[in-house]
């Protein structure tokens, strides 16, 4: 009798394993932030995007993560319909809004993996960035092109050149070993901005460094960046 | 069998006929261990004990019950390895500081309803209890508003009817201005019912109500005035942000309430000025419980009562302490050198002369001479003493060639070049980078540290109170409100009272008062008292002083005392003895500034931090709640 009960309960246990588990999501949604086909670079882990799903569960995003510093994103989803949006006040760009002021959303229908680039309108674009190392200095030259010129236009608060030991480069304390800044008021010609910063001593020593240019728009929290370049010293 | 049956029948008959109580009485027995609402609200002593529980649950952003709440914001270095994430992380979470304690609000509402319904309480008792509960409720809504902006303003206990539709229990967020209006109106309404007695400090008093009123009105005024600098923080429904045109009305209320309190009608409050040594005098405000005219409202502690705290144990100078621990909160050099010089100017501590050569000091403390006395009252400086024992903070010997002999253990002995006997080469209180409980920033905290014997031992603890409202803050509130209303002369008068107590006896004139001055004064006077975060939020400069950029030495030394000085990383100031026999400076002290290698992060206050996150559980339960701005 006892043996039978034991066998029965054990087989129930085996069944349970099978019933309770779903397959993990396999459909990949990925893409990048673009303006007229050109990628928008942002700060690592600072510009979020959200995916919402209808029908069940609690209010709130089912996925709430952020763009990489190249402006790319990727997320694994179940097949179904989702809404994707970037919350208000995030990113160095304007995301479409509803008349109520809430961020507009993009409907994403997942049926297998797909690529979806997100078109946004940045306040500025960093054009023709040239970053070079010479001697113990890194010099960057670029053009700051004002993209939004209507009532939403904003001024440049400052531009920065950041250097870091690793590929993560931004204004955040951990992500640069040296930086130089110029305020918007001190930019005489936005079509020809040049910044130079000395390379500090790197411990442990390495003969290369990563650099990129950042542009801070007045009144907007997130900066827009040029692509990261690796420089050999 | 027959016998058993008959016995059973007999017993049943006996029991049945013997039960002489009616069924309704029999089943309705009053419990002896639970008081009904009427019973509880019939005796003032019981009501007070209910109220004591509610007092005990008040919310503070910084409290001596938990030293970590003070060791943040660039003002201090956390010298405990379990808490060093404070200086390693870069961002504060959006959920930090958030509070949604409607359980507490409900119990306050229930208390007010039950106390109102009580019949056996005397009218005088009832009035005071009701006023106290309303004070606590306004206090908590004020705390929530500082963190969250407008929240649902629930002023009665809500009851679910179990009919399946809870929508009538869902309330939207009130406007942020309505929250402050509520706190101000409540304080106005209850102040007459509260005792005007300077000795009532741990229960609500008229002084406490006025102090709360002035602080709340000041906060609302500055959010209205400086909110224009950060329009993205305002929600269209007014749940966060206050329109600029309301600023003057709030400032006027803040000034009036402060002046009413200073007028003495609420009790004989004044600045604490009992001791000759001004630094000692300032430190005594926080531990002197006898006839202290300065403290208005506080959380009190009592030895041997079960309500004690371990702030002294956690933060005392570790060497020779009553417990083999301490030294956790290390005030930063950023804070230390922001204290003014006695001629009302700002400047870094003189480490080097104009030519860049080190300055040699005969006594370790000399570098801090001629500064605001609040420095010595807030920070335990190297070379001072505590409980009769010198605080042994020094980092080692500097040799003639500039090299350093130091140790990696507290009070280590080594042989110096040219000598044969080993000597102590580092203080018993450190500083040693990465070694917890030593003075890694070169300083220990002095505010709230209890000089009583036994206060530093775990079993005894300390009964130093936590001061929530004190007279100096009221003066500074009045000064700020007057300044914002254009009465700079009045503002200077209030500021000078606070400053004179700290030894800054050259008065400021009306023309000297700027917002930066007021900001600095609050930082110096109210350091570690839970103001720094809320002050910087309401002035809308938190994202400027905590901008996430690492601080280099130039950042540290420039712009001291200005409004926009960066404060993202705590710096240290280490002292060394010169070992150079034959040199006239042999044995003298030299100082070096440095940043601990543990400090890898830099504080970044994002726009989304201005109003703490309302989590998805709350949003799901109540669709009327609007989200906070600038958060994902």
């Amino acid at each position: 009798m006892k043996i039978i009960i034991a066998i029965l309960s054990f087989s129930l246990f085996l069944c349970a394993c099978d019933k309770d588990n779903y397959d993990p999501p396999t459909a990949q949604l990925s893409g990048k932030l673009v303006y007229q086909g050109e990628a928008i670079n942002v700060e690592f882990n600072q510009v979020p995007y959200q995916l919402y799903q209808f029908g069940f569960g609690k209010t709130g995003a089912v996925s709430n993560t952020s763009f990489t510093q190249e402006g790319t994103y990727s997320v694994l989803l179940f097949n179904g319909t989702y809404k994707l949006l970037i919350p208000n006040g995030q990113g160095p760009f304007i995301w479409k809004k509803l008349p109520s002021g809430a961020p507009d959303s993009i409907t994403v229908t997942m049926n297998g993996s797909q690529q979806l680039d997100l078109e946004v309108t940045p306040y500025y674009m960093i054009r023709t960035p040239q970053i070079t190392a010479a001697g113990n200095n890194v010099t960057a030259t670029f053009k700051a092109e004002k993209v939004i010129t209507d009532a939403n236009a904003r001024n440049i608060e400052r531009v920065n050149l950041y250097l870091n030991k690793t590929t993560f480069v931004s204004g955040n304390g951990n992500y640069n070993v040296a930086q130089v800044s110029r305020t918007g008021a001190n930019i005489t010609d936005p079509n020809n901005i040049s910044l130079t910063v000395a390379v500090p001593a790197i411990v442990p020593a390495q003969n290369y460094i990563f650099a990129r240019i950042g542009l801070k728009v007045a009144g907007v929290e997130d900066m827009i960046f040029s692509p990261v370049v690796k420089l050999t010293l | 069998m027959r016998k058993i049956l008959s016995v059973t029948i007999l017993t049943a008959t006996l029991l049945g006929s013997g039960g002489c109580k009616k069924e309704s009485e029999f089943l309705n027995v009053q419990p002896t261990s639970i008081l009904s609402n009427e019973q509880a609200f019939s005796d003032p002593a019981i009501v007070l004990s209910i109220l004591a529980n509610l007092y005990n649950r008040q919310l503070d952003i910084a409290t001596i019950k938990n030293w970590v709440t003070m060791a943040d914001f660039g003002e201090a270095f956390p010298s405990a390895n379990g808490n060093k994430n404070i200086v390693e992380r870069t961002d504060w979470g959006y959920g930090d500081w958030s509070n949604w304690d409607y359980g507490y609000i409900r119990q306050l509402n229930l208390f007010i309803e039950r106390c109102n319904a009580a019949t056996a309480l005397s009218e005088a008792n009832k009035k005071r209890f009701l006023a106290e509960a309303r004070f606590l409720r306004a206090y908590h809504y004020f705390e929530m508003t500082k963190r969250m902006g407008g929240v649902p303003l629930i002023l009665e206990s809500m009851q679910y009817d179990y009919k399946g539709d809870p929508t009538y229990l869902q309330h939207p967020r009130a406007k942020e201005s309505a929250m402050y209006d509520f706190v101000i109106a409540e304080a106005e309404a209850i102040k007459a019912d509260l005792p005007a007695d300077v000795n009532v400090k741990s229960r609500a008093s008229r002084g406490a109500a006025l102090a709360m009123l002035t602080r709340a009105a000041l906060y609302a005024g500055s959010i209205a005035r400086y909110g224009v600098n950060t329009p993205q923080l305002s929600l269209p429904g007014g749940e966060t942000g206050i329109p600029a045109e309301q600023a003057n009305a709030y400032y006027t209320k803040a000034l009036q309430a402060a002046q009413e309190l200073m007028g003495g009608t609420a009790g004989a409050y004044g600045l604490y000025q009992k001791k000759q040594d001004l630094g000692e005098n300032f430190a005594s405000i926080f531990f002197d419980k006898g006839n202290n005219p300065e403290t208005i409202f506080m959380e009190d502690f009592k030895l041997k009562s079960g309500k004690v705290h371990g702030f002294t144990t956690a933060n005392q100078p570790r060497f020779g302490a009553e417990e083999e621990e301490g030294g956790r909160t290390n005030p930063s050099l950023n804070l230390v050198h922001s204290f003014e010089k006695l001629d009302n100017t700002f400047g870094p501590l003189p480490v080097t002369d104009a030519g860049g050569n080190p300055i040699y000091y005969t006594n370790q403390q000399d570098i801090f001479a001629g500064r605001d006395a609040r420095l010595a009252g807030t920070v335990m400086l190297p070379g001072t003493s505590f409980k009769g024992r010198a605080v042994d903070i020094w980092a080692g010997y500097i040799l003639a060639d500039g090299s350093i002999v130091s140790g990696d253990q507290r009070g280590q002995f080594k042989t110096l070049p040219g000598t044969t006997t080993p000597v102590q080469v580092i203080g018993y209180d450190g500083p040693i980078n990465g070694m917890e409980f030593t003075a890694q920033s070169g300083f220990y905290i002095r505010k709230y540290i209890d000089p009583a014997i036994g206060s530093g031992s775990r079993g005894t603890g300390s009964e130093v109170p936590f001061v929530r409202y004190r007279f100096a803050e009221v003066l500074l509130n009045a000064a700020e409100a007057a300044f914002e209303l254009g009465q700079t002369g009045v503002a200077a008068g209030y500021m000078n009272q606070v400053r004179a107590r700290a030894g800054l006896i050259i008065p400021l004139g009306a023309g000297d008062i700027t917002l930066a001055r007021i900001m600095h004064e609050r930082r110096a006077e109210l350091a570690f008292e839970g103001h720094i975060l809320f002050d910087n939020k309401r002035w809308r400069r938190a994202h400027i002083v905590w901008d996430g950029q690492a601080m280099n030495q130039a950042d540290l030394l420039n712009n001291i005392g200005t409004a926009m000085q960066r404060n993202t990383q705590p710096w240290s100031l280490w002292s060394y003895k010169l070992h150079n026999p034959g040199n006239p400076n042999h044995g003298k002290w030299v100082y070096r500034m440095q940043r601990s290698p543990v400090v890898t992060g830099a504080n970044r206050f994002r726009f989304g931090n201005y109003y703490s996150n309302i989590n998805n559980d709350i949003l799901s339960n109540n669709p009327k709640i609007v989200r906070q701005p600038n958060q994902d």
Side-chain angles (χ1 to χ4, degrees):
Chain A
M1 186 66 186
K2 270 188 184 160
I3 294 167
I4 296 172
I5 292 173
I7 290 171
L8 267 175
S9 45
F10 185 66
S11 48
L12 272 172
F13 171 73
L14 285 180
C15 294
C17 272
D18 201 30
K19 282 254 175 190
D20 284 358
N21 285 303
Y22 291 97
D23 290 332
T26 49
Q28 189 182 46
L29 175 66
S30 59
K32 59 180 185 289
L33 290 166
V34 289
Y35 170 64
Q36 294 175 349
E38 200 164 330
I40 307 272
N41 285 250
V42 293
E43 184 171 356
F44 170 70
N45 203 17
Q46 287 301 323
V47 183
Y49 63 96
Q50 297 178 332
L51 280 163
Y52 289 85
Q53 203 174 9
F54 293 105
F56 61 92
K58 293 184 165 179
T59 327
V62 290
S63 162
N64 191 353
T65 46
S66 51
F67 292 99
T68 64
Q69 62 175 3
E70 289 80 30
T72 63
Y73 74 102
S74 73
V75 58
L76 284 172
L77 298 167
F78 295 110
N79 285 338
T81 306
Y82 297 83
K83 292 220 163 196
L84 188 153
L85 61 84
I86 294 174
N88 275 347
Q90 305 286 356
F93 45 71
I94 291 184
W95 179 258
K96 294 187 301 286
K97 277 187 191 176
L98 297 171
S100 67
D104 196 4
S105 58
I106 297 175
T107 306
V108 182
T109 306
M110 294 301 291
N111 187 14
S113 296
Q114 66 163 304
Q115 187 94 17
L116 177 70
D117 287 349
L118 305 172
E119 183 74 25
V120 294
T121 317
Y123 290 96
Y124 285 86
M125 284 296 277
I126 297 172
R127 299 290 193 195
T128 61
Q130 295 287 329
I131 306 179
T132 50
N136 203 31
N137 288 318
V138 173
T139 303
T141 54
F142 63 98
K143 261 167 79 170
E145 183 193 317
K146 198 169 194 169
V147 176
I148 298 173
T149 49
D150 59 4
N152 294 319
R154 288 173 181 273
N155 292 324
I156 299 176
E157 183 179 317
R158 56 182 158 83
V159 288
N160 293 66
L161 172 61
Y162 296 110
L163 306 183
N164 199 16
K165 293 191 281 188
T166 69
T167 48
F168 292 99
V169 188
S170 81
N172 204 344
N174 285 0
Y175 295 146
N176 67 76
V177 291
Q179 60 131 324
V180 62
S181 167
R182 182 174 305 161
T183 57
N186 289 333
I187 297 173
T188 45
D189 180 10
N191 288 324
N192 186 13
I193 306 174
S194 174
L195 295 168
T196 303
V197 63
V199 180
I202 302 172
V203 184
Q206 62 186 38
N207 66 347
Y208 55 89
I209 199 156
F210 298 92
R212 67 171 174 166
I213 302 156
L215 187 154
K216 173 89 168 62
V217 183
V220 176
E221 191 167 32
D222 297 305
M223 295 174 80
I224 189 162
F225 288 90
S226 68
V228 175
V229 292
K230 182 178 177 179
L231 302 167
T232 307
L233 299 171
Chain B
M1 188 67 197
R2 182 177 279 272
K3 200 177 176 185
I4 293 170
L5 191 69
S6 59
V7 169
T8 315
I9 292 170
L10 188 70
T11 325
T13 326
L14 275 172
L15 276 175
S17 59
C20 47
K21 279 186 179 170
K22 277 191 211 153
E23 195 179 83
S24 58
E25 282 175 40
F26 178 74
L27 292 173
N28 190 13
V29 179
Q30 292 301 317
T32 52
S33 59
I34 299 171
L35 295 177
S36 69
N37 288 336
E38 297 86 81
Q39 285 168 329
F41 282 86
S42 62
D43 181 350
I46 303 176
V47 183
L48 185 60
S49 76
I50 301 171
L51 206 51
N53 172 290
L54 297 169
Y55 270 115
N56 237 342
R57 289 157 61 184
Q58 277 180 278
L59 181 66
D60 295 297
I61 188 82
T63 166
I64 46 177
K65 289 185 278 194
N66 181 4
W67 68 274
V68 182
T69 56
M70 295 180 187
D72 196 355
F73 308 114
E75 300 291 79
F77 176 91
S79 188
N81 290 344
N83 302 93
K84 64 181 180 182
N85 70 306
I86 293 174
V87 287
E88 289 172 343
R89 58 126 163 75
T90 51
D91 299 316
W92 284 289
Y94 288 140
D96 288 7
W97 320 302
S98 81
N99 181 279
W100 203 261
D101 193 357
Y102 277 94
Y104 181 53
I105 292 286
R106 176 178 166 79
Q107 296 197 348
L108 286 163
N109 284 332
L110 283 173
F111 181 93
I112 292 167
E113 284 159 20
R114 287 166 184 169
C115 192
N116 258 324
T119 49
L121 286 178
S122 75
E123 210 48 44
N125 274 335
K126 207 166 161 176
K127 250 187 179 172
R128 181 171 180 194
F129 288 139
L130 278 171
E132 286 184 274
R134 286 172 70 182
F135 173 82
L136 289 175
R137 188 174 61 179
Y139 186 97
H140 193 76
Y141 273 125
F142 183 21
E143 287 295 320
M144 283 174 93
T145 308
K146 286 190 270 187
R147 294 161 165 79
M148 322 294 292
V151 294
L153 200 49
I154 310 295
L155 301 177
E156 54 186 21
S157 64
M158 297 195 292
Q159 201 71 42
Y160 180 47
D161 60 9
Y162 293 97
K163 286 180 182 156
D165 178 21
T167 44
Y168 73 101
L169 296 172
Q170 294 167 342
H171 294 266
R173 295 173 67 181
K175 287 184 175 185
E176 186 167 18
S177 60
M179 301 301 298
Y180 284 109
D181 291 343
F182 170 75
V183 176
I184 293 166
E186 285 288 283
E188 282 287 349
I190 59 176
K191 67 179 184 190
D193 294 342
L194 290 168
D197 183 353
V198 69
N199 292 316
V200 176
K201 292 187 192 294
S202 55
R203 289 176 69 180
S205 63
R206 193 170 300 171
L210 286 169
M212 180 171 76
L213 200 171
T214 170
R215 193 192 285 178
L218 185 71
Y219 277 32
S222 43
I223 290 169
R225 176 138 304 160
Y226 298 104
V228 293
N229 299 335
T230 52
Q232 60 270 67
L233 296 182
S234 302
L235 285 173
E239 291 87 357
T240 63
I242 299 176
E245 61 271 17
Q246 297 186 25
N248 274 353
Y250 283 121
Y251 283 129
T252 310
K253 277 185 189 146
L255 184 58
Q256 273 170 1
Q259 283 171 336
E260 187 178 339
L261 192 135
M262 289 182 244
T265 50
Y269 295 104
L271 290 175
Y272 181 94
Q273 280 163 316
K274 289 188 176 177
K275 300 191 175 164
Q276 282 295 317
D277 179 338
L278 296 176
E280 174 69 18
N281 182 65
F282 187 73
S284 307
I285 297 169
F286 301 94
F287 59 75
D288 187 350
K289 290 206 212 179
N291 274 330
N292 185 331
E294 169 123 9
T295 51
I296 297 172
F297 184 58
M298 63 193 199
E299 178 171 18
D300 209 352
F301 295 83
K302 193 173 184 331
L303 289 179
K304 298 176 186 168
S305 71
K307 184 156 179 169
V308 292
H309 62 81
F311 192 81
T312 304
T313 317
N315 297 295
Q316 63 196 339
R318 187 173 169 195
F319 174 48
E322 285 154 341
E323 206 71 71
E324 188 42 33
E325 64 168 316
R328 286 179 171 84
T329 312
N330 295 171
S332 64
L333 174 60
N334 320 19
L335 176 71
V336 168
H337 74 189
S338 79
F339 286 89
E340 273 164 87
K341 295 186 233 173
L342 291 177
D343 60 0
N344 295 350
T345 61
F346 296 96
L349 293 163
V351 170
T352 51
D353 62 17
N357 304 308
I359 301 177
Y360 296 94
Y361 291 96
T362 313
N363 298 307
Q364 207 180 359
Q365 282 188 65
D366 289 352
I367 189 170
F368 308 105
R371 294 222 168 216
D372 188 335
R374 288 173 292 195
L375 170 58
T378 307
V379 176
M380 215 172 278
L381 302 167
T384 59
S385 58
F386 177 67
K387 288 187 185 172
R389 186 187 278 273
V391 178
D392 195 27
I393 304 173
W394 57 286
Y397 281 100
I398 286 190
L399 305 180
D401 61 357
S403 63
I404 288 170
V405 179
S406 184
D408 51 11
Q409 292 299 318
R410 300 161 56 216
Q412 204 170 22
F413 276 62
K414 281 184 184 169
T415 312
L416 292 171
T419 61
T420 47
T421 25
V423 289
Q424 189 190 337
V425 294
I426 189 163
Y428 278 99
D429 284 309
I432 301 163
N433 275 331
M435 179 175 267
E436 59 181 353
F437 311 149
T438 68
Q440 291 185 61
S441 78
F443 306 101
Y444 285 135
I445 189 173
R446 182 168 184 201
K447 212 174 238 188
Y448 311 113
I449 297 288
D450 191 347
I453 302 299
S455 60
S457 73
R458 291 181 195 129
T460 310
S462 167
E463 61 175 3
V464 162
F466 179 67
V467 180
R468 291 186 171 120
Y469 290 106
R470 62 189 180 94
F471 192 70
E473 189 220 332
V474 174
L475 282 172
L476 292 180
N477 291 349
E480 187 181 339
F483 164 77
E484 296 286 359
L485 292 169
Q487 305 170 25
T488 44
V490 180
Y494 294 137
M495 292 261 287
N496 287 332
Q497 290 183 44
V498 179
R499 294 166 61 82
R501 194 254 304 261
L504 297 160
I505 44 175
I506 305 171
L508 293 176
D512 298 328
I513 305 295
T514 58
L515 184 66
R517 269 270 173 212
I518 292 169
M519 287 170 168
H520 164 74
E521 206 63 46
R522 289 183 74 91
R523 185 181 178 199
E525 177 75 30
L526 304 170
F528 304 115
E529 293 181 48
H531 290 269
I532 186 87
L533 172 66
F534 294 139
D535 277 349
N536 282 337
K537 271 168 61 159
R538 69 190 174 86
W539 290 320
R540 298 295 194 239
R541 67 157 188 169
H543 66 286
I544 297 169
V545 293
W546 298 311
D547 64 354
Q549 309 281 312
M551 275 175 79
N552 56 30
Q553 193 155 318
D555 287 327
L556 179 74
L557 299 179
N558 294 334
N559 307 322
I560 295 171
T562 62
M564 301 311 167
Q565 210 217 3
R566 188 172 286 159
N567 194 15
T568 53
Q569 296 181 320
W571 274 65
S572 314
L573 184 69
W574 285 14
S575 50
Y576 297 88
K577 267 186 227 180
L578 181 72
H579 180 78
N580 188 3
N583 186 303
N585 290 322
H586 174 65
K588 290 190 178 178
W589 294 94
V590 221
Y591 280 85
R592 284 192 181 177
M593 287 175 277
Q594 62 136 329
R595 192 176 64 197
S596 164
V598 179
V599 180
T600 52
N603 291 329
R604 171 158 54 180
F605 194 95
R606 295 171 289 173
F607 283 137
N609 289 117
Y610 271 99
Y611 293 99
S612 296
N613 184 249
I614 299 176
N615 67 38
N616 280 343
D617 281 349
I618 298 166
L619 295 170
S620 302
N621 291 340
N622 183 355
K624 289 180 184 158
I625 304 276
V626 292
R627 290 167 176 279
Q628 303 284 35
N630 307 305
Q631 294 181 0
D632 44 305

